[in-house]
Amino acid sequence: DQQVKQNSPSLSVQEGRISILNCDYTNSMFDYFLWYKKYPAEGPTFLISISSIKDKNEDGRFTVFLNKSAKHLSLHIVPSQPGDSAVYFCAASEWTNAGKSTFGDGTTLTVKP
Amino acid sequence: DAGVIQSPRHEVTEMGQEVTLRCKPISGHNSLFWYRQTMMRGLELLIYFNNNVPIDDSGMPEDRFSAKMPNASFSTLKIQPSEPRDSAVYFCASSLRGTGRGYGYTFGSGTRLTVV
């Protein structure tokens, strides 16, 4: 049972346009959601997070939206830059198991110049 | 801070051999995680420690896998005997307990293990 799902393995966008990466989850006990970015031959790097009590969190070009009723979150990157090309992982953690995050399979974003 | 340091970066070993992966977490971090990444299963948590104590090892695939954290600055993941299906990238990550949920983990660069 995969509790965190990223249904799009890849996404390609033009430089300057918006990138939207999606993530769905099934466990209603999750209370924090995170996005990580990963370049080849490196470990994932934390990007942005959102608490379940919020529906939006913004950090520069990156905004995460949370729809609890739909158990869905998305990461918006505006404007997209070629350096954003990477694998993006969605992750979730639950308050009952505060140290543990469950990751999605990742979406490969390619931003074309 | 040098970040989370993993060694070796690459390991090629023969089936049946013992393999030991090493991790040095960020100083001051008291939670440590071992993840494995494969094409088939994605990023899966193997085990994590809080204050050097194993909290959840339900992700450890079988008895061939063992992990230790003898002190706050060092952890090992051992596979004995290794099998070709253990080939993967193994990541170590650390965080301050309780903050990882909102502030994320810091990952090392990973160890790419190939068992032939």
Side-chain angles (χ1 to χ4, degrees):
Chain A
D1 175 31
Q2 193 169 11
Q3 298 187 62
V4 178
K5 294 183 181 180
Q6 295 176 254
N7 292 317
S8 298
S10 63
L11 174 68
S12 181
V13 300
Q14 207 66 37
E15 180 179 7
R17 306 296 290 269
I18 184 172
S19 295
I20 300 176
L21 297 102
N22 295 301
C23 179
D24 297 298
Y25 62 96
T26 57
N27 187 345
S28 58
M29 301 296 284
F30 287 144
D31 67 337
Y32 265 97
F33 303 89
L34 308 94
W35 285 94
Y36 288 80
K37 180 169 71 173
K38 183 185 181 303
Y39 293 118
E42 296 182 11
T45 302
F46 170 70
L47 196 55
I48 191 171
S49 67
I50 188 168
S51 162
S52 59
I53 63 173
K54 297 184 176 181
D55 55 18
K56 177 182 175 181
N57 189 25
E58 192 172 353
D59 183 2
R61 296 186 297 114
F62 302 89
T63 302
V64 57
F65 295 92
L66 176 63
N67 182 334
K68 283 186 64 178
S69 61
K71 293 189 172 65
H72 177 84
L73 65 153
S74 61
L75 175 68
H76 293 210
I77 306 173
V78 182
S80 301
Q81 300 173 354
D84 296 330
S85 297
V87 178
Y88 288 79
F89 290 97
C90 170
S93 63
E94 58 185 280
W95 68 273
T96 55
N97 205 351
K100 179 177 176 177
S101 279
T102 302
F103 283 77
D105 288 340
T107 296
T108 301
L109 173 66
T110 303
V111 181
K112 298 179 179 178
Chain B
D1 198 320
V4 176
I5 300 173
Q6 291 186 246
S7 64
R9 287 298 307 271
H10 302 274
E11 177 78 36
V12 180
T13 190
E14 291 186 348
M15 183 174 61
Q17 296 297 306
E18 177 180 297
V19 176
T20 300
L21 311 182
R22 297 172 176 80
C23 175
K24 177 179 168 55
I26 288 177
S27 177
H29 282 188
N30 51 9
S31 293
L32 183 139
F33 310 85
W34 283 99
Y35 280 85
R36 178 172 69 175
Q37 184 182 25
T38 61
M39 289 293 292
M40 293 297 294
R41 300 176 67 88
L43 261 172
E44 53 178 340
L45 177 67
L46 301 177
I47 185 171
Y48 78 93
F49 297 83
N50 280 341
N51 296 318
N52 313 337
V53 177
I55 302 300
D56 184 348
D57 66 354
S58 59
M60 296 286 262
E62 39 193 284
D63 292 345
R64 298 184 297 106
F65 285 69
S66 62
K68 294 182 179 179
M69 192 164 186
N71 56 63
S73 59
F74 184 66
S75 177
T76 59
L77 178 67
K78 185 178 294 186
I79 309 172
Q80 166 63 19
S82 58
E83 296 182 3
R85 60 193 168 121
D86 302 330
S87 298
V89 180
Y90 291 80
F91 288 105
C92 175
S94 71
S95 74
L96 277 172
R97 183 180 179 186
T99 66
R101 293 160 62 218
Y103 296 96
Y105 306 154
T106 301
F107 280 82
S109 297
T111 294
R112 180 173 294 277
L113 174 64
T114 303
V115 183
V116 298

mmCIF file of all heavy atoms in Angstrom, chain A residues 31-32 34 36 38 41-44 46 49 89 93-95 97-101 103 105, chain B residues 9 33 35 37 41-43 45 48 55-56 58 91 100-105 107-109:
data_model
loop_
_atom_site.group_PDB
_atom_site.id
_atom_site.type_symbol
_atom_site.label_atom_id
_atom_site.label_comp_id
_atom_site.label_asym_id
_atom_site.label_seq_id
_atom_site.Cartn_x
_atom_site.Cartn_y
_atom_site.Cartn_z
ATOM 1 N N ASP A 31 0.408 14.806 9.059
ATOM 2 C CA ASP A 31 0.159 16.182 9.464
ATOM 3 C C ASP A 31 1.213 17.163 8.955
ATOM 4 O O ASP A 31 1.084 18.361 9.175
ATOM 5 C CB ASP A 31 0.023 16.286 10.982
ATOM 6 C CG ASP A 31 1.324 15.993 11.702
ATOM 7 O OD1 ASP A 31 2.195 15.312 11.118
ATOM 8 O OD2 ASP A 31 1.475 16.461 12.843
ATOM 9 N N TYR A 32 2.259 16.651 8.320
ATOM 10 C CA TYR A 32 3.230 17.523 7.680
ATOM 11 C C TYR A 32 3.555 16.930 6.310
ATOM 12 O O TYR A 32 3.690 15.714 6.158
ATOM 13 C CB TYR A 32 4.522 17.628 8.496
ATOM 14 C CG TYR A 32 4.567 18.816 9.411
ATOM 15 C CD1 TYR A 32 4.225 18.695 10.747
ATOM 16 C CD2 TYR A 32 4.943 20.084 8.939
ATOM 17 C CE1 TYR A 32 4.253 19.778 11.595
ATOM 18 C CE2 TYR A 32 4.971 21.178 9.784
ATOM 19 C CZ TYR A 32 4.625 21.010 11.112
ATOM 20 O OH TYR A 32 4.654 22.088 11.954
ATOM 21 N N LEU A 34 6.102 17.538 2.826
ATOM 22 C CA LEU A 34 7.362 18.159 2.437
ATOM 23 C C LEU A 34 7.661 17.858 0.965
ATOM 24 O O LEU A 34 7.221 16.850 0.424
ATOM 25 C CB LEU A 34 8.511 17.618 3.292
ATOM 26 C CG LEU A 34 8.354 17.655 4.816
ATOM 27 C CD1 LEU A 34 7.806 16.340 5.352
ATOM 28 C CD2 LEU A 34 9.678 17.959 5.485
ATOM 29 N N TYR A 36 11.077 17.640 -1.603
ATOM 30 C CA TYR A 36 12.518 17.586 -1.727
ATOM 31 C C TYR A 36 12.873 17.639 -3.212
ATOM 32 O O TYR A 36 12.121 17.164 -4.064
ATOM 33 C CB TYR A 36 13.077 16.269 -1.154
ATOM 34 C CG TYR A 36 13.040 16.132 0.348
ATOM 35 C CD1 TYR A 36 11.874 15.780 1.007
ATOM 36 C CD2 TYR A 36 14.193 16.339 1.104
ATOM 37 C CE1 TYR A 36 11.851 15.633 2.391
ATOM 38 C CE2 TYR A 36 14.182 16.185 2.486
ATOM 39 C CZ TYR A 36 13.011 15.833 3.115
ATOM 40 O OH TYR A 36 13.004 15.683 4.480
ATOM 41 N N LYS A 38 16.047 16.584 -5.936
ATOM 42 C CA LYS A 38 17.224 15.727 -6.013
ATOM 43 C C LYS A 38 17.884 15.847 -7.378
ATOM 44 O O LYS A 38 17.257 15.615 -8.408
ATOM 45 C CB LYS A 38 16.842 14.264 -5.744
ATOM 46 C CG LYS A 38 18.044 13.328 -5.733
ATOM 47 C CD LYS A 38 17.637 11.889 -5.581
ATOM 48 C CE LYS A 38 18.853 10.967 -5.549
ATOM 49 N NZ LYS A 38 19.703 11.115 -6.747
ATOM 50 N N ALA A 41 23.320 11.927 -8.593
ATOM 51 C CA ALA A 41 24.502 11.648 -7.771
ATOM 52 C C ALA A 41 24.546 12.469 -6.482
ATOM 53 O O ALA A 41 25.608 12.595 -5.858
ATOM 54 C CB ALA A 41 25.791 11.854 -8.562
ATOM 55 N N GLU A 42 23.417 13.029 -6.081
ATOM 56 C CA GLU A 42 23.336 13.740 -4.811
ATOM 57 C C GLU A 42 22.147 13.207 -4.019
ATOM 58 O O GLU A 42 21.240 12.578 -4.572
ATOM 59 C CB GLU A 42 23.163 15.240 -5.021
ATOM 60 C CG GLU A 42 24.335 15.916 -5.696
ATOM 61 C CD GLU A 42 24.117 17.410 -5.820
ATOM 62 O OE1 GLU A 42 23.164 17.947 -5.215
ATOM 63 O OE2 GLU A 42 24.909 18.059 -6.524
ATOM 64 N N GLY A 43 22.148 13.486 -2.717
ATOM 65 C CA GLY A 43 20.990 13.143 -1.922
ATOM 66 C C GLY A 43 19.885 14.161 -2.097
ATOM 67 O O GLY A 43 20.118 15.280 -2.566
ATOM 68 N N PRO A 44 18.655 13.809 -1.732
ATOM 69 C CA PRO A 44 17.557 14.779 -1.795
ATOM 70 C C PRO A 44 17.842 15.978 -0.891
ATOM 71 O O PRO A 44 18.462 15.842 0.165
ATOM 72 C CB PRO A 44 16.354 13.988 -1.282
ATOM 73 C CG PRO A 44 16.715 12.546 -1.493
ATOM 74 C CD PRO A 44 18.200 12.478 -1.292
ATOM 75 N N PHE A 46 15.940 19.222 1.053
ATOM 76 C CA PHE A 46 14.654 19.753 1.489
ATOM 77 C C PHE A 46 14.369 21.088 0.803
ATOM 78 O O PHE A 46 15.234 21.962 0.707
ATOM 79 C CB PHE A 46 14.661 19.935 3.007
ATOM 80 C CG PHE A 46 13.477 20.690 3.542
ATOM 81 C CD1 PHE A 46 12.220 20.129 3.534
ATOM 82 C CD2 PHE A 46 13.635 21.981 4.033
ATOM 83 C CE1 PHE A 46 11.130 20.819 4.013
ATOM 84 C CE2 PHE A 46 12.553 22.682 4.521
ATOM 85 C CZ PHE A 46 11.297 22.102 4.511
ATOM 86 N N SER A 49 7.906 22.910 3.070
ATOM 87 C CA SER A 49 6.966 22.031 3.750
ATOM 88 C C SER A 49 5.678 22.786 4.040
ATOM 89 O O SER A 49 5.609 24.025 3.913
ATOM 90 C CB SER A 49 7.564 21.514 5.069
ATOM 91 O OG SER A 49 7.715 22.570 6.004
ATOM 92 N N PHE A 89 10.593 14.979 -4.980
ATOM 93 C CA PHE A 89 9.924 13.993 -4.138
ATOM 94 C C PHE A 89 8.958 14.686 -3.193
ATOM 95 O O PHE A 89 9.298 15.686 -2.543
ATOM 96 C CB PHE A 89 10.938 13.204 -3.300
ATOM 97 C CG PHE A 89 11.799 12.258 -4.086
ATOM 98 C CD1 PHE A 89 13.065 12.635 -4.491
ATOM 99 C CD2 PHE A 89 11.337 11.000 -4.398
ATOM 100 C CE1 PHE A 89 13.871 11.761 -5.213
ATOM 101 C CE2 PHE A 89 12.127 10.117 -5.118
ATOM 102 C CZ PHE A 89 13.396 10.503 -5.528
ATOM 103 N N SER A 93 4.715 13.044 6.860
ATOM 104 C CA SER A 93 4.986 12.432 8.165
ATOM 105 C C SER A 93 3.745 12.575 9.035
ATOM 106 O O SER A 93 2.921 13.460 8.825
ATOM 107 C CB SER A 93 6.201 13.075 8.836
ATOM 108 O OG SER A 93 5.957 14.440 9.110
ATOM 109 N N GLU A 94 3.619 11.694 10.020
ATOM 110 C CA GLU A 94 2.445 11.709 10.878
ATOM 111 C C GLU A 94 2.856 11.960 12.320
ATOM 112 O O GLU A 94 3.922 11.548 12.757
ATOM 113 C CB GLU A 94 1.676 10.391 10.753
ATOM 114 C CG GLU A 94 2.480 9.148 11.089
ATOM 115 C CD GLU A 94 1.694 7.875 10.821
ATOM 116 O OE1 GLU A 94 0.853 7.529 11.678
ATOM 117 O OE2 GLU A 94 1.937 7.237 9.779
ATOM 118 N N TRP A 95 1.970 12.621 13.058
ATOM 119 C CA TRP A 95 2.327 13.032 14.398
ATOM 120 C C TRP A 95 2.555 11.861 15.328
ATOM 121 O O TRP A 95 3.272 11.958 16.306
ATOM 122 C CB TRP A 95 1.244 13.958 14.968
ATOM 123 C CG TRP A 95 -0.067 13.284 15.222
ATOM 124 C CD1 TRP A 95 -1.084 13.101 14.337
ATOM 125 C CD2 TRP A 95 -0.498 12.689 16.457
ATOM 126 N NE1 TRP A 95 -2.123 12.439 14.938
ATOM 127 C CE2 TRP A 95 -1.804 12.179 16.230
ATOM 128 C CE3 TRP A 95 0.079 12.551 17.717
ATOM 129 C CZ2 TRP A 95 -2.522 11.539 17.232
ATOM 130 C CZ3 TRP A 95 -0.647 11.906 18.711
ATOM 131 C CH2 TRP A 95 -1.923 11.408 18.459
ATOM 132 N N ASN A 97 4.168 9.261 14.615
ATOM 133 C CA ASN A 97 5.453 8.637 14.313
ATOM 134 C C ASN A 97 6.381 9.741 13.829
ATOM 135 O O ASN A 97 6.830 9.754 12.697
ATOM 136 C CB ASN A 97 5.271 7.567 13.252
ATOM 137 C CG ASN A 97 6.370 6.506 13.314
ATOM 138 O OD1 ASN A 97 7.345 6.661 14.032
ATOM 139 N ND2 ASN A 97 6.218 5.446 12.552
ATOM 140 N N ALA A 98 6.603 10.689 14.722
ATOM 141 C CA ALA A 98 7.125 11.994 14.324
ATOM 142 C C ALA A 98 8.458 11.950 13.624
ATOM 143 O O ALA A 98 8.820 12.887 12.940
ATOM 144 C CB ALA A 98 7.222 12.895 15.550
ATOM 145 N N GLY A 99 9.214 10.875 13.782
ATOM 146 C CA GLY A 99 10.512 10.871 13.134
ATOM 147 C C GLY A 99 10.499 10.351 11.730
ATOM 148 O O GLY A 99 11.509 10.408 11.029
ATOM 149 N N LYS A 100 9.384 9.839 11.273
ATOM 150 C CA LYS A 100 9.392 9.034 10.049
ATOM 151 C C LYS A 100 8.657 9.728 8.924
ATOM 152 O O LYS A 100 7.520 10.149 9.080
ATOM 153 C CB LYS A 100 8.708 7.707 10.362
ATOM 154 C CG LYS A 100 8.598 6.739 9.217
ATOM 155 C CD LYS A 100 7.964 5.450 9.720
ATOM 156 C CE LYS A 100 7.729 4.469 8.603
ATOM 157 N NZ LYS A 100 7.181 3.210 9.105
ATOM 158 N N SER A 101 9.312 9.860 7.779
ATOM 159 C CA SER A 101 8.669 10.403 6.587
ATOM 160 C C SER A 101 8.522 9.321 5.538
ATOM 161 O O SER A 101 9.431 8.508 5.345
ATOM 162 C CB SER A 101 9.493 11.558 5.999
ATOM 163 O OG SER A 101 9.261 12.760 6.684
ATOM 164 N N PHE A 103 7.963 8.672 1.501
ATOM 165 C CA PHE A 103 8.222 9.384 0.261
ATOM 166 C C PHE A 103 7.421 8.817 -0.903
ATOM 167 O O PHE A 103 7.149 7.606 -0.971
ATOM 168 C CB PHE A 103 9.715 9.284 -0.094
ATOM 169 C CG PHE A 103 10.600 10.185 0.712
ATOM 170 C CD1 PHE A 103 10.925 9.863 2.020
ATOM 171 C CD2 PHE A 103 11.098 11.358 0.170
ATOM 172 C CE1 PHE A 103 11.737 10.698 2.781
ATOM 173 C CE2 PHE A 103 11.915 12.196 0.915
ATOM 174 C CZ PHE A 103 12.236 11.867 2.226
ATOM 175 N N ASP A 105 7.334 8.375 -5.216
ATOM 176 C CA ASP A 105 8.334 7.841 -6.142
ATOM 177 C C ASP A 105 9.098 8.914 -6.915
ATOM 178 O O ASP A 105 10.084 8.619 -7.580
ATOM 179 C CB ASP A 105 7.685 6.887 -7.144
ATOM 180 C CG ASP A 105 7.272 5.575 -6.491
ATOM 181 O OD1 ASP A 105 7.811 5.267 -5.402
ATOM 182 O OD2 ASP A 105 6.407 4.880 -7.060
ATOM 183 N N ARG B 9 31.363 6.090 -1.385
ATOM 184 C CA ARG B 9 30.404 6.606 -2.363
ATOM 185 C C ARG B 9 29.927 5.500 -3.293
ATOM 186 O O ARG B 9 28.774 5.488 -3.722
ATOM 187 C CB ARG B 9 31.032 7.727 -3.201
ATOM 188 C CG ARG B 9 31.208 9.047 -2.468
ATOM 189 C CD ARG B 9 29.881 9.636 -2.009
ATOM 190 N NE ARG B 9 28.901 9.766 -3.074
ATOM 191 C CZ ARG B 9 28.765 10.825 -3.852
ATOM 192 N NH1 ARG B 9 29.559 11.859 -3.701
ATOM 193 N NH2 ARG B 9 27.829 10.861 -4.786
ATOM 194 N N PHE B 33 18.459 8.480 9.908
ATOM 195 C CA PHE B 33 17.615 7.622 9.082
ATOM 196 C C PHE B 33 18.460 6.940 8.008
ATOM 197 O O PHE B 33 19.353 7.553 7.431
ATOM 198 C CB PHE B 33 16.523 8.452 8.383
ATOM 199 C CG PHE B 33 15.759 9.354 9.305
ATOM 200 C CD1 PHE B 33 16.238 10.612 9.635
ATOM 201 C CD2 PHE B 33 14.551 8.956 9.839
ATOM 202 C CE1 PHE B 33 15.546 11.454 10.488
ATOM 203 C CE2 PHE B 33 13.838 9.783 10.691
ATOM 204 C CZ PHE B 33 14.335 11.035 11.022
ATOM 205 N N TYR B 35 17.791 5.215 4.353
ATOM 206 C CA TYR B 35 16.847 4.979 3.269
ATOM 207 C C TYR B 35 17.554 4.214 2.158
ATOM 208 O O TYR B 35 18.771 4.308 1.987
ATOM 209 C CB TYR B 35 16.322 6.304 2.688
ATOM 210 C CG TYR B 35 15.220 6.957 3.478
ATOM 211 C CD1 TYR B 35 15.508 7.793 4.554
ATOM 212 C CD2 TYR B 35 13.887 6.765 3.132
ATOM 213 C CE1 TYR B 35 14.488 8.402 5.268
ATOM 214 C CE2 TYR B 35 12.855 7.382 3.848
ATOM 215 C CZ TYR B 35 13.165 8.189 4.906
ATOM 216 O OH TYR B 35 12.161 8.793 5.614
ATOM 217 N N GLN B 37 17.126 3.507 -2.096
ATOM 218 C CA GLN B 37 16.419 3.897 -3.313
ATOM 219 C C GLN B 37 16.664 2.885 -4.411
ATOM 220 O O GLN B 37 17.807 2.603 -4.773
ATOM 221 C CB GLN B 37 16.860 5.285 -3.796
ATOM 222 C CG GLN B 37 16.061 5.762 -5.007
ATOM 223 C CD GLN B 37 16.510 7.110 -5.531
ATOM 224 O OE1 GLN B 37 17.650 7.530 -5.343
ATOM 225 N NE2 GLN B 37 15.614 7.823 -6.174
ATOM 226 N N ARG B 41 11.122 0.216 -5.993
ATOM 227 C CA ARG B 41 10.469 0.548 -4.726
ATOM 228 C C ARG B 41 10.641 2.008 -4.315
ATOM 229 O O ARG B 41 10.117 2.422 -3.278
ATOM 230 C CB ARG B 41 10.983 -0.381 -3.633
ATOM 231 C CG ARG B 41 10.726 -1.857 -3.905
ATOM 232 C CD ARG B 41 11.353 -2.723 -2.820
ATOM 233 N NE ARG B 41 10.695 -2.542 -1.537
ATOM 234 C CZ ARG B 41 9.637 -3.215 -1.119
ATOM 235 N NH1 ARG B 41 9.109 -4.143 -1.905
ATOM 236 N NH2 ARG B 41 9.111 -2.998 0.060
ATOM 237 N N GLY B 42 11.366 2.778 -5.112
ATOM 238 C CA GLY B 42 11.545 4.190 -4.776
ATOM 239 C C GLY B 42 12.395 4.362 -3.535
ATOM 240 O O GLY B 42 13.275 3.562 -3.244
ATOM 241 N N LEU B 43 12.109 5.409 -2.772
ATOM 242 C CA LEU B 43 12.835 5.698 -1.536
ATOM 243 C C LEU B 43 12.097 5.044 -0.378
ATOM 244 O O LEU B 43 10.981 5.437 -0.039
ATOM 245 C CB LEU B 43 12.886 7.208 -1.288
ATOM 246 C CG LEU B 43 14.136 7.967 -1.667
ATOM 247 C CD1 LEU B 43 13.896 9.469 -1.518
ATOM 248 C CD2 LEU B 43 15.323 7.556 -0.813
ATOM 249 N N LEU B 45 12.218 3.744 3.714
ATOM 250 C CA LEU B 45 12.901 3.857 4.996
ATOM 251 C C LEU B 45 13.248 2.464 5.512
ATOM 252 O O LEU B 45 12.387 1.590 5.591
ATOM 253 C CB LEU B 45 12.004 4.568 6.008
ATOM 254 C CG LEU B 45 12.557 4.703 7.420
ATOM 255 C CD1 LEU B 45 13.772 5.628 7.433
ATOM 256 C CD2 LEU B 45 11.479 5.235 8.365
ATOM 257 N N TYR B 48 15.271 3.961 11.586
ATOM 258 C CA TYR B 48 15.708 5.247 12.085
ATOM 259 C C TYR B 48 15.969 5.195 13.581
ATOM 260 O O TYR B 48 15.407 4.363 14.297
ATOM 261 C CB TYR B 48 14.768 6.388 11.698
ATOM 262 C CG TYR B 48 13.488 6.540 12.475
ATOM 263 C CD1 TYR B 48 13.423 7.387 13.577
ATOM 264 C CD2 TYR B 48 12.326 5.907 12.058
ATOM 265 C CE1 TYR B 48 12.234 7.570 14.259
ATOM 266 C CE2 TYR B 48 11.141 6.085 12.739
ATOM 267 C CZ TYR B 48 11.095 6.924 13.829
ATOM 268 O OH TYR B 48 9.918 7.120 14.504
ATOM 269 N N ILE B 55 14.379 3.190 16.695
ATOM 270 C CA ILE B 55 12.967 3.422 17.004
ATOM 271 C C ILE B 55 12.070 2.555 16.129
ATOM 272 O O ILE B 55 11.077 2.000 16.598
ATOM 273 C CB ILE B 55 12.606 4.905 16.817
ATOM 274 C CG1 ILE B 55 13.477 5.786 17.705
ATOM 275 C CG2 ILE B 55 11.129 5.138 17.083
ATOM 276 C CD1 ILE B 55 13.349 5.498 19.181
ATOM 277 N N ASP B 56 12.395 2.473 14.864
ATOM 278 C CA ASP B 56 11.546 1.732 13.931
ATOM 279 C C ASP B 56 12.443 1.058 12.909
ATOM 280 O O ASP B 56 13.074 1.737 12.108
ATOM 281 C CB ASP B 56 10.570 2.690 13.253
ATOM 282 C CG ASP B 56 9.589 1.979 12.332
ATOM 283 O OD1 ASP B 56 9.777 0.783 12.034
ATOM 284 O OD2 ASP B 56 8.626 2.636 11.890
ATOM 285 N N SER B 58 11.158 -1.526 11.023
ATOM 286 C CA SER B 58 10.215 -2.350 10.273
ATOM 287 C C SER B 58 10.518 -2.382 8.782
ATOM 288 O O SER B 58 10.048 -3.264 8.067
ATOM 289 C CB SER B 58 8.784 -1.851 10.497
ATOM 290 O OG SER B 58 8.661 -0.502 10.091
ATOM 291 N N PHE B 91 20.898 5.843 1.273
ATOM 292 C CA PHE B 91 21.050 7.202 1.788
ATOM 293 C C PHE B 91 20.950 7.203 3.310
ATOM 294 O O PHE B 91 20.132 6.507 3.897
ATOM 295 C CB PHE B 91 19.960 8.123 1.242
ATOM 296 C CG PHE B 91 20.104 8.466 -0.213
ATOM 297 C CD1 PHE B 91 19.285 7.873 -1.158
ATOM 298 C CD2 PHE B 91 21.045 9.396 -0.637
ATOM 299 C CE1 PHE B 91 19.405 8.179 -2.502
ATOM 300 C CE2 PHE B 91 21.175 9.713 -1.974
ATOM 301 C CZ PHE B 91 20.358 9.099 -2.907
ATOM 302 N N GLY B 100 12.273 17.459 11.964
ATOM 303 C CA GLY B 100 12.337 16.868 10.635
ATOM 304 C C GLY B 100 11.002 16.900 9.928
ATOM 305 O O GLY B 100 10.925 16.978 8.715
ATOM 306 N N ARG B 101 9.937 16.868 10.702
ATOM 307 C CA ARG B 101 8.622 16.862 10.088
ATOM 308 C C ARG B 101 8.367 18.148 9.317
ATOM 309 O O ARG B 101 7.774 18.146 8.269
ATOM 310 C CB ARG B 101 7.552 16.679 11.170
ATOM 311 C CG ARG B 101 7.586 15.322 11.835
ATOM 312 C CD ARG B 101 6.881 15.359 13.152
ATOM 313 N NE ARG B 101 5.478 15.710 12.976
ATOM 314 C CZ ARG B 101 4.810 16.482 13.816
ATOM 315 N NH1 ARG B 101 5.399 16.983 14.865
ATOM 316 N NH2 ARG B 101 3.543 16.743 13.614
ATOM 317 N N GLY B 102 8.786 19.255 9.866
ATOM 318 C CA GLY B 102 8.498 20.530 9.211
ATOM 319 C C GLY B 102 9.680 21.124 8.479
ATOM 320 O O GLY B 102 9.504 21.886 7.543
ATOM 321 N N TYR B 103 10.875 20.759 8.906
ATOM 322 C CA TYR B 103 12.072 21.357 8.339
ATOM 323 C C TYR B 103 12.896 20.373 7.529
ATOM 324 O O TYR B 103 13.948 20.702 7.030
ATOM 325 C CB TYR B 103 12.931 21.969 9.446
ATOM 326 C CG TYR B 103 12.231 23.109 10.140
ATOM 327 C CD1 TYR B 103 11.525 22.904 11.320
ATOM 328 C CD2 TYR B 103 12.245 24.386 9.605
ATOM 329 C CE1 TYR B 103 10.854 23.935 11.942
ATOM 330 C CE2 TYR B 103 11.582 25.427 10.227
ATOM 331 C CZ TYR B 103 10.884 25.190 11.394
ATOM 332 O OH TYR B 103 10.230 26.218 12.001
ATOM 333 N N GLY B 104 12.413 19.156 7.412
ATOM 334 C CA GLY B 104 13.046 18.198 6.524
ATOM 335 C C GLY B 104 14.304 17.591 7.100
ATOM 336 O O GLY B 104 14.802 17.977 8.155
ATOM 337 N N TYR B 105 14.778 16.606 6.403
ATOM 338 C CA TYR B 105 16.018 15.945 6.760
ATOM 339 C C TYR B 105 17.156 16.515 5.910
ATOM 340 O O TYR B 105 16.926 17.036 4.824
ATOM 341 C CB TYR B 105 15.953 14.445 6.451
ATOM 342 C CG TYR B 105 14.800 13.684 7.034
ATOM 343 C CD1 TYR B 105 14.363 12.521 6.416
ATOM 344 C CD2 TYR B 105 14.153 14.092 8.189
ATOM 345 C CE1 TYR B 105 13.311 11.785 6.925
ATOM 346 C CE2 TYR B 105 13.091 13.371 8.703
ATOM 347 C CZ TYR B 105 12.672 12.219 8.070
ATOM 348 O OH TYR B 105 11.628 11.493 8.576
ATOM 349 N N PHE B 107 20.129 15.006 3.850
ATOM 350 C CA PHE B 107 20.593 13.727 3.317
ATOM 351 C C PHE B 107 22.074 13.791 2.959
ATOM 352 O O PHE B 107 22.593 14.842 2.563
ATOM 353 C CB PHE B 107 19.822 13.379 2.040
ATOM 354 C CG PHE B 107 18.463 12.786 2.277
ATOM 355 C CD1 PHE B 107 17.377 13.597 2.544
ATOM 356 C CD2 PHE B 107 18.266 11.415 2.221
ATOM 357 C CE1 PHE B 107 16.114 13.057 2.755
ATOM 358 C CE2 PHE B 107 17.014 10.854 2.431
ATOM 359 C CZ PHE B 107 15.936 11.690 2.706
ATOM 360 N N GLY B 108 22.724 12.632 3.075
ATOM 361 C CA GLY B 108 24.051 12.484 2.513
ATOM 362 C C GLY B 108 23.949 12.251 1.013
ATOM 363 O O GLY B 108 22.855 12.193 0.448
ATOM 364 N N SER B 109 25.114 12.109 0.382
ATOM 365 C CA SER B 109 25.146 11.930 -1.065
ATOM 366 C C SER B 109 24.871 10.495 -1.495
ATOM 367 O O SER B 109 24.733 10.218 -2.683
ATOM 368 C CB SER B 109 26.506 12.373 -1.612
ATOM 369 O OG SER B 109 26.699 13.752 -1.383
#
